[in-house]
Amino acid sequence: MGLRRRLGGLWQRWQPSHALVMLPLALIVVITVVDILVPADVHLGPLLVVAPALTASFAGPRLTAFIGALAIGAQIFIGIHFGVLTTRNVMVQVFSLTVLSALIAFFCRVREHRKRELAKVRSVAEAAQKALLRPLPHRIGPLRIASLYLAAEDEAVIGGDLYTATGTDDGVRVIIGDVRGHGLSAVGESAQLLGAFRVVADQHATLPALAGALDRSVSRYLTDFVEAEDGIDEHFITALLLEIPDDGHMTRMTCCGHPPPLLLHEHHVRTLTTAHPAPPLGVAALPAAQFPVEEFAFDAGDTLILYTDGVTEARDENGVFFPLAQRVEQWAENRPEALLDRLRRDLLAHCQGHLGDDAAVIAIQRTPAARPDRH
């Protein structure tokens, strides 16, 4: 059994990386044999360069160089076979094949180096994502939670959308936001707001007081770190703050220029619009009293959908926006994890896999379960 298992492991490691090498080896053999068999005025030796070129498409520089050396050896063998190795034409063919094989191996090495660099960048981006957008716990108190983040930029895993949740003495506070713009500056502003929220979320008695503190924090950051030529007025963060008590069914909300959440109640969707939303964070430096707070019923079995405008502004090939409210109403019976899985697939299918903006969604379901211990 031990020998069979080791042989099986060797076969599994050999198959993906070495099975394809049989093709360039076969090409070298076939080209060499055919070149010997055809009339002397037909020269197939120059075709041997196909072997290292093909190898570079699936192998590294060492294997590519090895195949190139075999191709050069085959060209020399053909010249020796016909007794014309020292003629000008054959020497030029051998020299050309040597140079081309070396160039192919060199560019293969450059490609491998760039792949390693890209892998490092991706690992750093993944670490940054985990540090900034930590996965939300599946349960906080009586709430079942799921989250979804889709970055618009290719190869990116983080962007300007943000969300987090934290438990307080009598409930849970949640924030979801959207930084204006893209790139590293948006990531920096997102990180600053998330850090500020995690620090002060349980230090203010009301949502307006919390919103005011976050607004001052964002304004200070923009003043200190945004270059004057970039235009501070062009930098802001839309945000939605929720306070969901463990006991009772009334939930409080403060909206700072952010899209309104959706409430799934008894298989129907209601948009929780705000009559007088506050400006986005970092715009007006408002006092706490200027941030309105509204209440709505959030009963056991209900589900809240918080999202950024990257979801609702996703367009299909005809320019039609994604109908979020209509779609989630079809999945009202699903748990948050299943609901967001369906939403992710449907959203990407709607926009053919190319989002115009980062998209973030949180699904929060209140359950009748007893309050578990907080971690």
Side-chain angles (χ1 to χ4, degrees), residues 264-268 301-302 332:
L264 294 175
H265 175 72
E266 295 182 352
H267 309 294
H268 295 288
D302 291 353

Side-chain angles (χ1 to χ4, degrees), residues 255 273-279 290-294:
C255 179
T273 56
T274 302
H276 304 287
Q290 297 295 318
F291 289 93
V293 60
E294 300 189 20

Side-chain angles (χ1 to χ4, degrees), residues 8-60:
L10 289 173
W11 172 251
Q12 288 178 352
R13 288 194 297 271
W14 182 86
Q15 257 190 326
S17 59
H18 295 86
L20 288 175
V21 80
M22 300 304 296
L23 183 56
L25 288 175
L27 282 173
I28 292 174
V29 173
V30 170
I31 292 172
T32 302
V33 171
V34 174
D35 199 8
I36 292 174
L37 295 178
V38 296
D41 60 336
V42 178
H43 305 286
L44 299 180
L47 294 178
L48 288 167
V49 73
V50 174
L54 180 62
T55 306
S57 67
F58 61 83

Side-chain angles (χ1 to χ4, degrees), residues 51-368:
L54 180 62
T55 306
S57 67
F58 61 83
R62 291 185 179 181
L63 184 55
T64 301
F66 174 72
I67 296 297
L70 290 181
I72 296 168
Q75 180 69 72
I76 293 173
F77 174 78
I78 293 171
I80 293 174
H81 176 79
F82 287 105
V84 293
L85 179 61
T86 58
T87 63
R88 180 181 298 178
N89 287 338
V90 174
M91 292 299 293
V92 169
Q93 290 177 14
V94 172
F95 177 76
S96 300
L97 181 57
T98 302
V99 172
L100 290 173
S101 297
L103 287 174
I104 292 170
F106 172 74
F107 285 113
C108 186
R109 182 177 181 180
V110 171
R111 182 198 63 193
E112 292 297 308
H113 178 69
R114 290 182 176 177
K115 284 177 62 177
R116 288 193 295 270
E117 287 185 339
L118 180 58
K120 290 180 181 178
V121 170
R122 286 176 175 172
S123 66
V124 171
E126 290 173 359
Q129 182 188 40
K130 292 178 181 178
L132 297 180
L133 284 179
R134 300 172 187 171
L136 295 179
H138 297 298
R139 292 293 295 262
I140 303 181
L143 305 179
R144 182 181 288 119
I145 303 175
S147 57
L148 170 66
Y149 191 98
L150 297 172
E153 295 186 9
D154 293 338
E155 306 296 342
V157 290
I158 54 176
D161 288 4
L162 60 101
Y163 55 76
T164 192
T166 185
T168 61
D169 292 337
D170 57 356
V172 176
R173 282 180 171 174
V174 183
I175 183 173
I176 185 169
D178 185 359
V179 179
R180 184 185 185 277
H182 301 279
L184 293 178
S185 62
V187 174
E189 293 169 30
S190 172
Q192 185 277 333
L193 180 56
L194 284 173
F197 178 85
R198 288 165 180 154
V199 170
V200 303
D202 61 348
Q203 297 180 6
H204 297 275
T206 65
L207 280 187
L210 174 59
L214 295 177
D215 186 43
R216 291 190 297 273
S217 179
V218 171
S219 298
R220 284 195 300 268
Y221 177 87
L222 296 179
T223 300
D224 293 339
F225 293 101
V226 174
E227 300 293 338
E229 56 268 21
D230 291 341
I232 294 180
D233 294 341
E234 299 298 322
H235 290 255
F236 55 82
I237 307 175
T238 67
L240 183 74
L241 300 171
L242 288 182
E243 184 177 72
I244 307 173
D246 289 338
D247 301 322
H249 66 285
M250 297 305 296
T251 291
R252 288 172 284 277
M253 172 179 68
T254 292
C255 179
C256 303
H258 199 78
L262 303 177
L263 177 66
L264 294 175
H265 175 72
E266 295 182 352
H267 309 294
H268 295 288
V269 174
R270 180 164 65 97
T271 302
L272 301 174
T273 56
T274 302
H276 304 287
L281 302 178
V283 171
L286 299 177
Q290 297 295 318
F291 289 93
V293 60
E294 300 189 20
E295 291 189 336
F296 59 90
F298 183 38
D299 299 317
D302 291 353
T303 300
L304 275 171
I305 306 294
L306 317 180
Y307 57 94
T308 60
D309 58 12
V311 178
T312 52
E313 293 181 0
R315 299 172 183 262
D316 65 9
E317 56 187 3
N318 298 317
V320 178
F321 291 116
F322 182 71
L324 177 63
Q326 298 177 17
R327 299 297 172 85
V328 298
E329 189 171 24
Q330 303 173 13
W331 311 317
E333 295 182 356
N334 292 112
R335 290 190 174 189
E337 296 85 357
L339 190 152
L340 291 194
D341 182 62
R342 287 175 174 266
L343 176 60
R344 178 186 61 83
R345 288 181 290 173
D346 202 36
L347 176 62
L348 292 176
H350 179 82
C351 62
Q352 296 84 47
H354 300 288
L355 290 167
D357 193 6
D358 300 331
V361 189
I362 305 176
I364 306 172
Q365 185 178 70
R366 180 184 283 277
T367 67

